[in-house]
Short mmCIF file of all heavy atoms in Angstrom, two decimals:
data_model
loop_
_atom_site.label_atom_id
_atom_site.label_comp_id
_atom_site.label_asym_id
_atom_site.label_seq_id
_atom_site.Cartn_x
_atom_site.Cartn_y
_atom_site.Cartn_z
N TYR P 1 0.87 -1.23 -0.07
CA TYR P 1 0.00 0.02 0.00
C TYR P 1 0.85 1.31 0.03
O TYR P 1 1.87 1.38 0.73
CB TYR P 1 -0.93 0.01 1.24
CG TYR P 1 -1.95 -1.03 1.13
CD1 TYR P 1 -1.93 -2.24 1.96
CD2 TYR P 1 -3.06 -0.86 0.36
CE1 TYR P 1 -2.80 -3.29 1.79
CE2 TYR P 1 -4.11 -1.93 0.36
CZ TYR P 1 -3.96 -3.06 1.11
OH TYR P 1 -4.82 -4.05 1.02
N SER P 2 0.43 2.25 -0.77
CA SER P 2 1.10 3.50 -0.80
C SER P 2 0.45 4.44 0.29
O SER P 2 -0.61 4.22 0.73
CB SER P 2 0.98 4.21 -2.18
OG SER P 2 1.51 3.35 -3.26
N SER P 3 1.20 5.48 0.59
CA SER P 3 0.64 6.48 1.56
C SER P 3 -0.59 7.08 0.97
O SER P 3 -0.64 7.32 -0.32
CB SER P 3 1.69 7.51 2.01
OG SER P 3 2.13 8.15 0.82
N VAL P 4 -1.58 7.42 1.90
CA VAL P 4 -2.87 7.97 1.39
C VAL P 4 -2.73 9.53 1.46
O VAL P 4 -2.63 10.11 2.67
CB VAL P 4 -3.94 7.42 2.21
CG1 VAL P 4 -5.31 8.10 1.74
CG2 VAL P 4 -4.02 5.86 2.12
N PRO P 5 -2.89 10.17 0.40
CA PRO P 5 -2.94 11.66 0.41
C PRO P 5 -4.31 12.12 0.81
O PRO P 5 -5.37 11.42 0.62
CB PRO P 5 -2.65 12.02 -1.01
CG PRO P 5 -3.15 10.98 -1.83
CD PRO P 5 -2.98 9.72 -0.96
N PRO P 6 -4.38 13.33 1.48
CA PRO P 6 -5.73 13.86 1.87
C PRO P 6 -6.70 14.15 0.58
O PRO P 6 -7.89 13.82 0.59
CB PRO P 6 -5.47 15.15 2.49
CG PRO P 6 -4.06 15.12 2.92
CD PRO P 6 -3.43 14.19 1.86
N VAL P 7 -6.04 14.48 -0.47
CA VAL P 7 -6.70 14.81 -1.73
C VAL P 7 -5.74 14.54 -2.92
O VAL P 7 -4.56 14.80 -2.84
CB VAL P 7 -7.35 16.19 -1.84
CG1 VAL P 7 -6.17 17.24 -1.71
CG2 VAL P 7 -8.10 16.39 -3.04
N GLU P 8 -6.31 13.93 -3.99
CA GLU P 8 -5.49 13.67 -5.14
C GLU P 8 -6.39 13.82 -6.38
O GLU P 8 -7.59 13.57 -6.28
CB GLU P 8 -4.90 12.32 -5.16
CG GLU P 8 -3.92 12.04 -6.31
CD GLU P 8 -3.17 10.75 -6.16
OE1 GLU P 8 -3.27 10.01 -5.12
OE2 GLU P 8 -2.52 10.27 -7.14
N THR P 9 -5.78 14.37 -7.47
CA THR P 9 -6.51 14.72 -8.68
C THR P 9 -6.39 13.63 -9.71
O THR P 9 -5.28 13.11 -10.01
CB THR P 9 -6.05 16.02 -9.26
OG1 THR P 9 -6.12 17.11 -8.29
CG2 THR P 9 -6.83 16.37 -10.50
N PHE P 10 -7.52 13.21 -10.26
CA PHE P 10 -7.55 12.15 -11.29
C PHE P 10 -8.40 12.60 -12.46
O PHE P 10 -9.19 13.60 -12.38
CB PHE P 10 -8.32 10.90 -10.64
CG PHE P 10 -7.54 10.29 -9.70
CD1 PHE P 10 -7.65 10.57 -8.31
CD2 PHE P 10 -6.59 9.16 -9.93
CE1 PHE P 10 -6.91 9.95 -7.30
CE2 PHE P 10 -5.90 8.60 -8.99
CZ PHE P 10 -6.04 8.94 -7.63
N ASP P 11 -8.11 12.02 -13.72
CA ASP P 11 -8.98 12.30 -14.82
C ASP P 11 -10.31 11.49 -14.84
O ASP P 11 -11.31 12.00 -15.30
CB ASP P 11 -8.12 11.94 -16.15
CG ASP P 11 -6.91 12.83 -16.24
OD1 ASP P 11 -7.04 14.02 -16.30
OD2 ASP P 11 -5.87 12.18 -16.25
N THR P 12 -10.18 10.31 -14.26
CA THR P 12 -11.39 9.40 -14.28
C THR P 12 -11.38 8.69 -12.91
O THR P 12 -10.46 8.25 -12.36
CB THR P 12 -11.28 8.35 -15.33
OG1 THR P 12 -11.22 9.01 -16.64
CG2 THR P 12 -12.42 7.46 -15.35
N VAL P 13 -12.55 8.64 -12.39
CA VAL P 13 -12.91 7.77 -11.16
C VAL P 13 -13.90 6.70 -11.53
O VAL P 13 -14.95 6.94 -12.00
CB VAL P 13 -13.42 8.63 -10.02
CG1 VAL P 13 -13.79 7.72 -8.80
CG2 VAL P 13 -12.44 9.71 -9.51
N LEU P 14 -13.47 5.42 -11.33
CA LEU P 14 -14.27 4.31 -11.72
C LEU P 14 -14.71 3.56 -10.41
O LEU P 14 -13.86 3.11 -9.69
CB LEU P 14 -13.53 3.46 -12.61
CG LEU P 14 -14.30 2.22 -13.29
CD1 LEU P 14 -13.62 1.78 -14.58
CD2 LEU P 14 -14.32 0.95 -12.37
N TYR P 15 -16.02 3.43 -10.14
CA TYR P 15 -16.50 2.78 -9.03
C TYR P 15 -16.77 1.33 -9.26
O TYR P 15 -17.34 0.92 -10.23
CB TYR P 15 -17.74 3.51 -8.42
CG TYR P 15 -17.57 4.30 -7.27
CD1 TYR P 15 -17.15 5.63 -7.46
CD2 TYR P 15 -17.64 3.88 -6.00
CE1 TYR P 15 -16.86 6.39 -6.39
CE2 TYR P 15 -17.38 4.62 -4.89
CZ TYR P 15 -17.01 5.90 -5.13
OH TYR P 15 -16.71 6.72 -3.95
N ALA P 16 -16.19 0.45 -8.35
CA ALA P 16 -16.30 -0.95 -8.47
C ALA P 16 -16.61 -1.55 -7.13
O ALA P 16 -15.77 -2.44 -6.60
CB ALA P 16 -15.08 -1.59 -9.12
N THR P 17 -17.47 -0.98 -6.35
CA THR P 17 -17.74 -1.37 -5.02
C THR P 17 -18.92 -2.31 -4.84
O THR P 17 -19.34 -2.54 -3.71
CB THR P 17 -18.13 -0.06 -4.17
OG1 THR P 17 -19.01 0.69 -4.83
CG2 THR P 17 -16.72 0.75 -4.07
N GLY P 18 -19.28 -2.89 -5.89
CA GLY P 18 -20.28 -3.97 -5.75
C GLY P 18 -21.43 -3.77 -6.81
O GLY P 18 -21.44 -2.85 -7.48
N ARG P 19 -22.29 -4.76 -6.90
CA ARG P 19 -23.45 -4.72 -7.74
C ARG P 19 -24.71 -5.07 -7.00
O ARG P 19 -24.71 -5.85 -6.01
CB ARG P 19 -23.22 -5.70 -8.91
CG ARG P 19 -22.10 -5.35 -9.87
CD ARG P 19 -21.91 -6.42 -10.93
NE ARG P 19 -22.98 -6.47 -11.85
CZ ARG P 19 -23.11 -5.75 -12.98
NH1 ARG P 19 -22.12 -4.74 -13.17
NH2 ARG P 19 -24.04 -5.92 -13.83
N SER P 20 -25.81 -4.51 -7.39
CA SER P 20 -27.09 -4.72 -6.81
C SER P 20 -28.05 -5.44 -7.83
O SER P 20 -28.04 -5.18 -8.99
CB SER P 20 -27.78 -3.42 -6.42
OG SER P 20 -26.99 -2.74 -5.42
N ALA P 21 -28.79 -6.42 -7.30
CA ALA P 21 -29.81 -7.06 -8.13
C ALA P 21 -30.74 -5.89 -8.65
O ALA P 21 -31.18 -5.18 -7.96
CB ALA P 21 -30.56 -8.09 -7.24
N ASP P 22 -30.94 -6.02 -9.99
CA ASP P 22 -31.87 -5.12 -10.64
C ASP P 22 -33.34 -5.49 -10.58
O ASP P 22 -34.01 -5.82 -11.55
CB ASP P 22 -31.44 -5.02 -12.12
CG ASP P 22 -31.86 -3.80 -12.83
OD1 ASP P 22 -32.52 -2.97 -12.14
OD2 ASP P 22 -31.77 -3.76 -14.13
N THR P 23 -33.83 -5.38 -9.34
CA THR P 23 -35.19 -5.85 -9.09
C THR P 23 -36.10 -4.69 -8.50
O THR P 23 -37.25 -4.87 -8.29
CB THR P 23 -35.19 -7.03 -8.07
OG1 THR P 23 -34.51 -6.54 -6.93
CG2 THR P 23 -34.53 -8.22 -8.61
N GLU P 24 -35.49 -3.52 -8.22
CA GLU P 24 -36.22 -2.49 -7.47
C GLU P 24 -37.47 -2.10 -8.12
O GLU P 24 -38.49 -1.77 -7.44
CB GLU P 24 -35.22 -1.21 -7.29
CG GLU P 24 -35.82 -0.15 -6.37
CD GLU P 24 -34.84 1.00 -6.20
OE1 GLU P 24 -33.73 0.96 -6.70
OE2 GLU P 24 -35.28 1.92 -5.52
#
């Protein structure tokens, strides 16, 4: 693991924190 900065700038943020059943 690298050290965690308080804030960092990115061009793209991709979320991959899970999937939900598409039943709502």
Side-chain angles (χ1 to χ4, degrees):
Y1 293 100
S2 301
S3 59
V4 179
V7 60
E8 187 171 349
T9 304
F10 295 87
D11 298 299
T12 301
V13 174
L14 188 155
Y15 258 83
T17 50
R19 292 175 69 84
S20 300
D22 195 9
T23 56
E24 184 178 1

